Amino acid sequence: MRQGIDAKYNSGYTLDMKTAISLPNHLHQAADQLAEQLGISRSELYQRALARYIAEYRDEGTTVALNAIYRDEGQSGLLETAWELAQTETLGNDEW
């Protein structure tokens, strides 16, 4: 045990990382109200919110890339032509 830490201290209490943040009062109060409304702890609310924000941020890069593909496709028509060929090949194998 490290010096200066009381032997009664429960070192198992903080299994996950703890982080202190500063929030404006109105945001802190709104978060408390929402956590209570959802029936979850404030920590759980912050974890969910941060996870969602990170996922949306990552997805934003995908959206930008797809928008560029579709923007370019509209100019060249290459994707549309490939799509039409795939449909034609698939339909050609079916009996009508």
Side-chain angles (χ1 to χ4, degrees), residues 6-93:
D6 187 350
K8 296 178 188 173
Y9 178 76
N10 182 359
S11 61
Y13 176 74
T14 55
L15 296 176
D16 293 325
M17 175 66 70
K18 282 191 157 200
T19 302
I21 60 171
S22 298
L23 298 172
N25 286 336
H26 73 279
L27 188 56
H28 176 76
Q29 291 169 352
D32 277 349
Q33 290 173 356
L34 181 57
E36 185 175 338
Q37 180 183 346
L38 295 173
I40 60 175
S41 69
R42 188 184 322 137
S43 291
E44 179 70 18
L45 177 72
Y46 292 152
Q47 289 173 37
R48 289 182 185 185
L50 185 56
R52 184 179 220 171
Y53 185 80
I54 290 169
E56 287 178 14
Y57 183 78
R58 285 184 182 149
D59 289 346
E60 187 175 301
T62 302
T63 301
V64 168
L66 287 173
N67 286 342
I69 289 169
Y70 288 116
R71 182 186 62 243
D72 294 344
E73 178 273 328
Q75 295 171 0
S76 68
L78 293 176
L79 187 59
E80 186 173 307
T81 302
W83 181 253
E84 288 173 359
L85 282 172
Q87 287 178 328
T88 302
E89 288 176 11
T90 302
L91 292 174
N93 296 332

